Amino acid sequence: MPELPEVHTIAAALQQKIEGRRIDSVEILRDSVIKNPPEEFLLALQGRSIQGIERIAKYLLFRLDSGQMLAHLGMSGKFVLDENDHNDPYARVIFHLDNASRLIFAEIRCFGFLEYLKAGQASPRLQGLGPDALIQQDPETLKKRAQGRKTPIKNLLLDQHFLAGIGNIYAAEILFMAGIRPTRPTDKLGPKAWQGLSESIPAILNLALEHNGTTISDYRRVDEKKGEFQNFLKVYQRADQPCRVCKTPIKRIVQAARSSFYCPKCQR
DNA sequence: AGCGGAACCTGTCGGC
DNA sequence: TGCCGACAGGTTCCGC
């Protein structure tokens, strides 16, 4: 579910709401979402105070007074701050905070996870990530980073080692904005295409961020509100519907086992 | 090395 | 109504 704009929206809300809070106790309702041995995780987290929260690619890093907690929301994960003590059937881990509120990590599909890292311990998951996709890169820089790659450009955009933060929704929207067909081999892109990508990547992500991300089905903000960028999607999940620019029906194809959507007329 | 596909897990929806 | 397959925002592993 959550790509860069969604994770960023969540990080901003968490910064505002729980920075400085102390974790009184932790309940693990599903062991498999914890990367550490459960007892070790409980022991490490209980009594810690949350000093800061940052987004790294699609990950959330909670800086604690001792060590840190890395979180990934997988496909359907969310963090909900619950002041009303309601029950989420997909709650997997519950953090009881010192102001009597509860931070709930809920994840339907359990692809997401939490991992405690000791001070100074680096997670291998964060190694080799490309530059954050929100930061604009020069066309030349992009081209250089893509050197030697022959994979379709859509697949390259999903490669977190190329740029970090783009997922399936925004890859489609970025390529529509840049007028590039998702099947174009990376090594066949010309200067105009790289220029287009240099602009459309941060443009789409920032636009989505302004609208608090995209809610297709599961994504929710910390206060459980939906994002709004789904109302502005041009191609994603719009197969057979008319292109908003030229009325040509949007096509759906499968690349690397994932859906791609594009306008066969606007994207070449 | 780079690439595509399967696997991980759970739910929903459409067709027969 | 019920079953089955396809599909869903991500990452990692495996084989070619």
Side-chain angles (χ1 to χ4, degrees), chain A residues 197-214:
Chain A
L197 287 171
S198 164
E199 291 166 11
S200 64
I201 290 168
I204 288 289
L205 294 176
N206 275 301
L207 202 55
L209 196 47
E210 283 171 33
H211 294 282
N212 300 300
T214 303

mmCIF file with all atom_site columns, all heavy atoms in Angstrom, chain A residues 197-214:
data_model
loop_
_atom_site.group_PDB
_atom_site.id
_atom_site.type_symbol
_atom_site.label_atom_id
_atom_site.label_alt_id
_atom_site.label_comp_id
_atom_site.label_asym_id
_atom_site.label_entity_id
_atom_site.label_seq_id
_atom_site.pdbx_PDB_ins_code
_atom_site.Cartn_x
_atom_site.Cartn_y
_atom_site.Cartn_z
_atom_site.occupancy
_atom_site.B_iso_or_equiv
_atom_site.pdbx_formal_charge
_atom_site.auth_seq_id
_atom_site.auth_comp_id
_atom_site.auth_asym_id
_atom_site.auth_atom_id
_atom_site.pdbx_PDB_model_num
ATOM 1   N N   . LEU A 1 197 ? 11.483 12.558 -16.706 1.00 0.00 ? 197 LEU A N   1
ATOM 2   C CA  . LEU A 1 197 ? 11.487 11.807 -15.444 1.00 0.00 ? 197 LEU A CA  1
ATOM 3   C C   . LEU A 1 197 ? 12.039 12.662 -14.303 1.00 0.00 ? 197 LEU A C   1
ATOM 4   O O   . LEU A 1 197 ? 11.508 12.635 -13.186 1.00 0.00 ? 197 LEU A O   1
ATOM 5   C CB  . LEU A 1 197 ? 12.327 10.532 -15.597 1.00 0.00 ? 197 LEU A CB  1
ATOM 6   C CG  . LEU A 1 197 ? 11.671 9.431  -16.437 1.00 0.00 ? 197 LEU A CG  1
ATOM 7   C CD1 . LEU A 1 197 ? 12.663 8.309  -16.708 1.00 0.00 ? 197 LEU A CD1 1
ATOM 8   C CD2 . LEU A 1 197 ? 10.420 8.892  -15.741 1.00 0.00 ? 197 LEU A CD2 1
ATOM 9   N N   . SER A 1 198 ? 13.090 13.401 -14.601 1.00 0.00 ? 198 SER A N   1
ATOM 10  C CA  . SER A 1 198 ? 13.695 14.262 -13.588 1.00 0.00 ? 198 SER A CA  1
ATOM 11  C C   . SER A 1 198 ? 12.651 15.194 -12.983 1.00 0.00 ? 198 SER A C   1
ATOM 12  O O   . SER A 1 198 ? 12.658 15.460 -11.777 1.00 0.00 ? 198 SER A O   1
ATOM 13  C CB  . SER A 1 198 ? 14.822 15.080 -14.219 1.00 0.00 ? 198 SER A CB  1
ATOM 14  O OG  . SER A 1 198 ? 15.180 16.157 -13.395 1.00 0.00 ? 198 SER A OG  1
ATOM 15  N N   . GLU A 1 199 ? 11.721 15.647 -13.829 1.00 0.00 ? 199 GLU A N   1
ATOM 16  C CA  . GLU A 1 199 ? 10.687 16.569 -13.347 1.00 0.00 ? 199 GLU A CA  1
ATOM 17  C C   . GLU A 1 199 ? 9.473  15.850 -12.768 1.00 0.00 ? 199 GLU A C   1
ATOM 18  O O   . GLU A 1 199 ? 8.935  16.242 -11.737 1.00 0.00 ? 199 GLU A O   1
ATOM 19  C CB  . GLU A 1 199 ? 10.245 17.486 -14.496 1.00 0.00 ? 199 GLU A CB  1
ATOM 20  C CG  . GLU A 1 199 ? 11.318 18.474 -14.900 1.00 0.00 ? 199 GLU A CG  1
ATOM 21  C CD  . GLU A 1 199 ? 11.015 19.146 -16.242 1.00 0.00 ? 199 GLU A CD  1
ATOM 22  O OE1 . GLU A 1 199 ? 9.897  19.010 -16.749 1.00 0.00 ? 199 GLU A OE1 1
ATOM 23  O OE2 . GLU A 1 199 ? 11.938 19.795 -16.772 1.00 0.00 ? 199 GLU A OE2 1
ATOM 24  N N   . SER A 1 200 ? 9.029  14.791 -13.471 1.00 0.00 ? 200 SER A N   1
ATOM 25  C CA  . SER A 1 200 ? 7.757  14.173 -13.069 1.00 0.00 ? 200 SER A CA  1
ATOM 26  C C   . SER A 1 200 ? 7.874  13.368 -11.783 1.00 0.00 ? 200 SER A C   1
ATOM 27  O O   . SER A 1 200 ? 6.906  13.260 -11.029 1.00 0.00 ? 200 SER A O   1
ATOM 28  C CB  . SER A 1 200 ? 7.187  13.316 -14.201 1.00 0.00 ? 200 SER A CB  1
ATOM 29  O OG  . SER A 1 200 ? 8.047  12.234 -14.487 1.00 0.00 ? 200 SER A OG  1
ATOM 30  N N   . ILE A 1 201 ? 9.041  12.807 -11.495 1.00 0.00 ? 201 ILE A N   1
ATOM 31  C CA  . ILE A 1 201 ? 9.176  12.005 -10.270 1.00 0.00 ? 201 ILE A CA  1
ATOM 32  C C   . ILE A 1 201 ? 8.884  12.863 -9.022  1.00 0.00 ? 201 ILE A C   1
ATOM 33  O O   . ILE A 1 201 ? 7.948  12.566 -8.273  1.00 0.00 ? 201 ILE A O   1
ATOM 34  C CB  . ILE A 1 201 ? 10.562 11.321 -10.189 1.00 0.00 ? 201 ILE A CB  1
ATOM 35  C CG1 . ILE A 1 201 ? 10.647 10.221 -11.256 1.00 0.00 ? 201 ILE A CG1 1
ATOM 36  C CG2 . ILE A 1 201 ? 10.811 10.736 -8.800  1.00 0.00 ? 201 ILE A CG2 1
ATOM 37  C CD1 . ILE A 1 201 ? 12.056 9.670  -11.480 1.00 0.00 ? 201 ILE A CD1 1
ATOM 38  N N   . PRO A 1 202 ? 9.624  13.956 -8.804  1.00 0.00 ? 202 PRO A N   1
ATOM 39  C CA  . PRO A 1 202 ? 9.301  14.751 -7.614  1.00 0.00 ? 202 PRO A CA  1
ATOM 40  C C   . PRO A 1 202 ? 7.954  15.466 -7.734  1.00 0.00 ? 202 PRO A C   1
ATOM 41  O O   . PRO A 1 202 ? 7.286  15.693 -6.718  1.00 0.00 ? 202 PRO A O   1
ATOM 42  C CB  . PRO A 1 202 ? 10.450 15.762 -7.521  1.00 0.00 ? 202 PRO A CB  1
ATOM 43  C CG  . PRO A 1 202 ? 11.064 15.806 -8.872  1.00 0.00 ? 202 PRO A CG  1
ATOM 44  C CD  . PRO A 1 202 ? 10.833 14.464 -9.498  1.00 0.00 ? 202 PRO A CD  1
ATOM 45  N N   . ALA A 1 203 ? 7.547  15.801 -8.954  1.00 0.00 ? 203 ALA A N   1
ATOM 46  C CA  . ALA A 1 203 ? 6.273  16.522 -9.112  1.00 0.00 ? 203 ALA A CA  1
ATOM 47  C C   . ALA A 1 203 ? 5.102  15.659 -8.655  1.00 0.00 ? 203 ALA A C   1
ATOM 48  O O   . ALA A 1 203 ? 4.242  16.115 -7.889  1.00 0.00 ? 203 ALA A O   1
ATOM 49  C CB  . ALA A 1 203 ? 6.087  16.938 -10.574 1.00 0.00 ? 203 ALA A CB  1
ATOM 50  N N   . ILE A 1 204 ? 5.051  14.416 -9.130  1.00 0.00 ? 204 ILE A N   1
ATOM 51  C CA  . ILE A 1 204 ? 3.949  13.524 -8.746  1.00 0.00 ? 204 ILE A CA  1
ATOM 52  C C   . ILE A 1 204 ? 3.975  13.220 -7.258  1.00 0.00 ? 204 ILE A C   1
ATOM 53  O O   . ILE A 1 204 ? 2.952  13.261 -6.571  1.00 0.00 ? 204 ILE A O   1
ATOM 54  C CB  . ILE A 1 204 ? 4.023  12.205 -9.561  1.00 0.00 ? 204 ILE A CB  1
ATOM 55  C CG1 . ILE A 1 204 ? 3.632  12.455 -11.017 1.00 0.00 ? 204 ILE A CG1 1
ATOM 56  C CG2 . ILE A 1 204 ? 3.153  11.120 -8.939  1.00 0.00 ? 204 ILE A CG2 1
ATOM 57  C CD1 . ILE A 1 204 ? 2.156  12.732 -11.245 1.00 0.00 ? 204 ILE A CD1 1
ATOM 58  N N   . LEU A 1 205 ? 5.162  12.937 -6.739  1.00 0.00 ? 205 LEU A N   1
ATOM 59  C CA  . LEU A 1 205 ? 5.241  12.578 -5.313  1.00 0.00 ? 205 LEU A CA  1
ATOM 60  C C   . LEU A 1 205 ? 4.857  13.751 -4.422  1.00 0.00 ? 205 LEU A C   1
ATOM 61  O O   . LEU A 1 205 ? 4.154  13.577 -3.424  1.00 0.00 ? 205 LEU A O   1
ATOM 62  C CB  . LEU A 1 205 ? 6.652  12.076 -4.980  1.00 0.00 ? 205 LEU A CB  1
ATOM 63  C CG  . LEU A 1 205 ? 7.037  10.759 -5.670  1.00 0.00 ? 205 LEU A CG  1
ATOM 64  C CD1 . LEU A 1 205 ? 8.477  10.390 -5.348  1.00 0.00 ? 205 LEU A CD1 1
ATOM 65  C CD2 . LEU A 1 205 ? 6.103  9.623  -5.282  1.00 0.00 ? 205 LEU A CD2 1
ATOM 66  N N   . ASN A 1 206 ? 5.299  14.949 -4.789  1.00 0.00 ? 206 ASN A N   1
ATOM 67  C CA  . ASN A 1 206 ? 4.930  16.119 -3.991  1.00 0.00 ? 206 ASN A CA  1
ATOM 68  C C   . ASN A 1 206 ? 3.436  16.418 -4.072  1.00 0.00 ? 206 ASN A C   1
ATOM 69  O O   . ASN A 1 206 ? 2.813  16.804 -3.082  1.00 0.00 ? 206 ASN A O   1
ATOM 70  C CB  . ASN A 1 206 ? 5.745  17.339 -4.427  1.00 0.00 ? 206 ASN A CB  1
ATOM 71  C CG  . ASN A 1 206 ? 7.092  17.398 -3.734  1.00 0.00 ? 206 ASN A CG  1
ATOM 72  O OD1 . ASN A 1 206 ? 7.164  17.449 -2.517  1.00 0.00 ? 206 ASN A OD1 1
ATOM 73  N ND2 . ASN A 1 206 ? 8.167  17.350 -4.510  1.00 0.00 ? 206 ASN A ND2 1
ATOM 74  N N   . LEU A 1 207 ? 2.879  16.218 -5.255  1.00 0.00 ? 207 LEU A N   1
ATOM 75  C CA  . LEU A 1 207 ? 1.440  16.431 -5.432  1.00 0.00 ? 207 LEU A CA  1
ATOM 76  C C   . LEU A 1 207 ? 0.654  15.449 -4.567  1.00 0.00 ? 207 LEU A C   1
ATOM 77  O O   . LEU A 1 207 ? -0.309 15.810 -3.881  1.00 0.00 ? 207 LEU A O   1
ATOM 78  C CB  . LEU A 1 207 ? 1.097  16.240 -6.912  1.00 0.00 ? 207 LEU A CB  1
ATOM 79  C CG  . LEU A 1 207 ? -0.178 16.896 -7.431  1.00 0.00 ? 207 LEU A CG  1
ATOM 80  C CD1 . LEU A 1 207 ? -0.179 18.387 -7.132  1.00 0.00 ? 207 LEU A CD1 1
ATOM 81  C CD2 . LEU A 1 207 ? -0.322 16.645 -8.930  1.00 0.00 ? 207 LEU A CD2 1
ATOM 82  N N   . ALA A 1 208 ? 1.088  14.192 -4.594  1.00 0.00 ? 208 ALA A N   1
ATOM 83  C CA  . ALA A 1 208 ? 0.414  13.164 -3.777  1.00 0.00 ? 208 ALA A CA  1
ATOM 84  C C   . ALA A 1 208 ? 0.553  13.497 -2.294  1.00 0.00 ? 208 ALA A C   1
ATOM 85  O O   . ALA A 1 208 ? -0.386 13.319 -1.510  1.00 0.00 ? 208 ALA A O   1
ATOM 86  C CB  . ALA A 1 208 ? 1.000  11.789 -4.070  1.00 0.00 ? 208 ALA A CB  1
ATOM 87  N N   . LEU A 1 209 ? 1.715  14.001 -1.934  1.00 0.00 ? 209 LEU A N   1
ATOM 88  C CA  . LEU A 1 209 ? 1.976  14.377 -0.542  1.00 0.00 ? 209 LEU A CA  1
ATOM 89  C C   . LEU A 1 209 ? 1.030  15.497 -0.108  1.00 0.00 ? 209 LEU A C   1
ATOM 90  O O   . LEU A 1 209 ? 0.473  15.487 0.983   1.00 0.00 ? 209 LEU A O   1
ATOM 91  C CB  . LEU A 1 209 ? 3.434  14.828 -0.438  1.00 0.00 ? 209 LEU A CB  1
ATOM 92  C CG  . LEU A 1 209 ? 4.088  14.927 0.930   1.00 0.00 ? 209 LEU A CG  1
ATOM 93  C CD1 . LEU A 1 209 ? 3.829  13.687 1.765   1.00 0.00 ? 209 LEU A CD1 1
ATOM 94  C CD2 . LEU A 1 209 ? 5.583  15.147 0.742   1.00 0.00 ? 209 LEU A CD2 1
ATOM 95  N N   . GLU A 1 210 ? 0.821  16.471 -0.996  1.00 0.00 ? 210 GLU A N   1
ATOM 96  C CA  . GLU A 1 210 ? -0.093 17.574 -0.689  1.00 0.00 ? 210 GLU A CA  1
ATOM 97  C C   . GLU A 1 210 ? -1.511 17.081 -0.441  1.00 0.00 ? 210 GLU A C   1
ATOM 98  O O   . GLU A 1 210 ? -2.281 17.702 0.267   1.00 0.00 ? 210 GLU A O   1
ATOM 99  C CB  . GLU A 1 210 ? -0.118 18.578 -1.852  1.00 0.00 ? 210 GLU A CB  1
ATOM 100 C CG  . GLU A 1 210 ? 1.096  19.476 -1.900  1.00 0.00 ? 210 GLU A CG  1
ATOM 101 C CD  . GLU A 1 210 ? 1.120  20.296 -3.189  1.00 0.00 ? 210 GLU A CD  1
ATOM 102 O OE1 . GLU A 1 210 ? 0.030  20.645 -3.691  1.00 0.00 ? 210 GLU A OE1 1
ATOM 103 O OE2 . GLU A 1 210 ? 2.242  20.555 -3.688  1.00 0.00 ? 210 GLU A OE2 1
ATOM 104 N N   . HIS A 1 211 ? -1.836 15.930 -1.093  1.00 0.00 ? 211 HIS A N   1
ATOM 105 C CA  . HIS A 1 211 ? -3.172 15.362 -0.912  1.00 0.00 ? 211 HIS A CA  1
ATOM 106 C C   . HIS A 1 211 ? -3.168 14.209 0.075   1.00 0.00 ? 211 HIS A C   1
ATOM 107 O O   . HIS A 1 211 ? -4.059 13.366 0.058   1.00 0.00 ? 211 HIS A O   1
ATOM 108 C CB  . HIS A 1 211 ? -3.739 14.933 -2.265  1.00 0.00 ? 211 HIS A CB  1
ATOM 109 C CG  . HIS A 1 211 ? -4.003 16.095 -3.183  1.00 0.00 ? 211 HIS A CG  1
ATOM 110 N ND1 . HIS A 1 211 ? -5.110 16.903 -3.045  1.00 0.00 ? 211 HIS A ND1 1
ATOM 111 C CD2 . HIS A 1 211 ? -3.291 16.601 -4.210  1.00 0.00 ? 211 HIS A CD2 1
ATOM 112 C CE1 . HIS A 1 211 ? -5.070 17.851 -3.982  1.00 0.00 ? 211 HIS A CE1 1
ATOM 113 N NE2 . HIS A 1 211 ? -3.975 17.699 -4.700  1.00 0.00 ? 211 HIS A NE2 1
ATOM 114 N N   . ASN A 1 212 ? -2.128 14.133 0.891   1.00 0.00 ? 212 ASN A N   1
ATOM 115 C CA  . ASN A 1 212 ? -2.058 13.138 1.970   1.00 0.00 ? 212 ASN A CA  1
ATOM 116 C C   . ASN A 1 212 ? -2.043 11.693 1.506   1.00 0.00 ? 212 ASN A C   1
ATOM 117 O O   . ASN A 1 212 ? -2.490 10.800 2.221   1.00 0.00 ? 212 ASN A O   1
ATOM 118 C CB  . ASN A 1 212 ? -3.209 13.349 2.968   1.00 0.00 ? 212 ASN A CB  1
ATOM 119 C CG  . ASN A 1 212 ? -3.155 14.726 3.606   1.00 0.00 ? 212 ASN A CG  1
ATOM 120 O OD1 . ASN A 1 212 ? -2.189 15.075 4.259   1.00 0.00 ? 212 ASN A OD1 1
ATOM 121 N ND2 . ASN A 1 212 ? -4.182 15.534 3.370   1.00 0.00 ? 212 ASN A ND2 1
ATOM 122 N N   . GLY A 1 213 ? -1.562 11.467 0.293   1.00 0.00 ? 213 GLY A N   1
ATOM 123 C CA  . GLY A 1 213 ? -1.412 10.108 -0.203  1.00 0.00 ? 213 GLY A CA  1
ATOM 124 C C   . GLY A 1 213 ? -2.653 9.582  -0.905  1.00 0.00 ? 213 GLY A C   1
ATOM 125 O O   . GLY A 1 213 ? -3.628 10.315 -1.113  1.00 0.00 ? 213 GLY A O   1
ATOM 126 N N   . THR A 1 214 ? -2.592 8.324  -1.298  1.00 0.00 ? 214 THR A N   1
ATOM 127 C CA  . THR A 1 214 ? -3.647 7.692  -2.089  1.00 0.00 ? 214 THR A CA  1
ATOM 128 C C   . THR A 1 214 ? -4.291 6.552  -1.312  1.00 0.00 ? 214 THR A C   1
ATOM 129 O O   . THR A 1 214 ? -3.596 5.632  -0.888  1.00 0.00 ? 214 THR A O   1
ATOM 130 C CB  . THR A 1 214 ? -3.050 7.110  -3.386  1.00 0.00 ? 214 THR A CB  1
ATOM 131 O OG1 . THR A 1 214 ? -2.397 8.151  -4.125  1.00 0.00 ? 214 THR A OG1 1
ATOM 132 C CG2 . THR A 1 214 ? -4.135 6.487  -4.262  1.00 0.00 ? 214 THR A CG2 1
#
